[in-house]
Amino acid sequence: MKYRRILLKLSGESLMGDKQFGIDNQRLSVYAEQIKEIHDLGAEVAIVIGGGNIFRGVQAEEGGMDRTHGDYMGMLATMINSMALQAALESAGLQTRLQSAIEMKEISEPYVRRRAVRHLEKGRVVIFGAGTGNPYFTTDSAASLRAIEINADVILKGTRVDGIYTADPEKDPTATKFDVITFEDAYSRGLKVMDMTAFTLCMENDLPIIVFDMDSPGNLKRLMDGEQVGTIVRN
Ligand code: GTP
């Protein structure tokens, strides 16, 4: 295992699979199997998942809703995905703990850093729900913050693309993929890795990010085995 403790960031939208909305159980169980695979090899796994398949705060604002209100609704959406993922991971035979940044004590533990670390040490997969608990922050920021707090070795950002390109590969056929890029270089080239809050948190705390295609089964394990998968962003 190249990395011992990881924070896996999953996109809510990916959970839709081929559906237009909501959660595709098939996709969920494929994710769970892949996570189990690396867990069985000894990785400590923490997860943050987005909520875009259910609700997006930014779009709510476009529709005239207060941004803060929309962001809180988005945080609740991440809790729905977190609970779905928790169930899928448990079906796959893993032990899990869900911690929420907003207190919901009937369905989740509150976020307690020391406790999260202890769960990881005991081999439980820890899911962090409800983002950072604050509006104006994305789940990428939540992933960065939690990763730093628990001293993760790396953030693995699972997406539908297989890394970071010089330009949008769907629009520009000459676009090429980076295997490695520094934070500084990614910033000066204006490449979108994560939102700036998340990006800066990682850069300033020397936490590498690997952007990779989570929807190709096997990628997660290959990456953990130290193979070249996706793009690594580091100092
Ligand atoms: P250890 O102390 O390491 O044994 O961890 P543990 O998580 O097993 O301890 P605990 O006995 O506190 O938790 C047992 C179960 O209750 C776990 O599934 C927790 O996720 C759950 N749990 C703990 N605290 C809360 C809470 O505040 N709300 C809810 N809904 N569940 C909780």
Side-chain angles (χ1 to χ4, degrees), residues 153-212:
D153 300 320
V154 65
I155 293 192
L156 305 181
K157 183 177 154 84
T159 63
R160 282 174 290 191
V161 288
D162 63 349
I164 299 166
Y165 284 76
T166 50
D168 183 346
E170 281 166 11
K171 291 180 192 146
D172 182 351
T174 65
T176 53
K177 196 182 93 179
F178 294 99
D179 287 344
V180 184
I181 187 167
T182 62
F183 283 106
E184 220 165 286
D185 201 9
Y187 178 73
S188 62
R189 287 171 185 257
L191 300 173
K192 187 137 174 20
V193 181
M194 298 204 288
D195 64 273
M196 278 317 293
T197 310
F199 185 87
T200 310
L201 264 176
C202 292
M203 182 168 69
E204 289 182 348
N205 292 282
D206 205 16
L207 179 71
I209 308 165
I210 299 178
V211 177
F212 75 107

Side-chain angles (χ1 to χ4, degrees), residues 96-98 104-110 115 118-119 122 124:
T96 67
R97 294 292 185 266
L98 170 59
M104 304 188 200
K105 62 180 164 44
E106 286 78 5
I107 53 174
S108 156
E109 296 181 17
R115 199 148 180 223
R118 192 82 189 103
H119 288 322
K122 289 188 176 181
R124 297 156 181 161

Side-chain angles (χ1 to χ4, degrees), residues 100-132:
S100 172
I102 297 175
E103 194 175 318
M104 304 188 200
K105 62 180 164 44
E106 286 78 5
I107 53 174
S108 156
E109 296 181 17
Y111 171 65
V112 178
R113 188 191 77 88
R114 282 170 176 275
R115 199 148 180 223
V117 168
R118 192 82 189 103
H119 288 322
L120 290 169
E121 288 168 354
K122 289 188 176 181
R124 297 156 181 161
V125 175
V126 179
I127 305 169
F128 297 119
T132 66

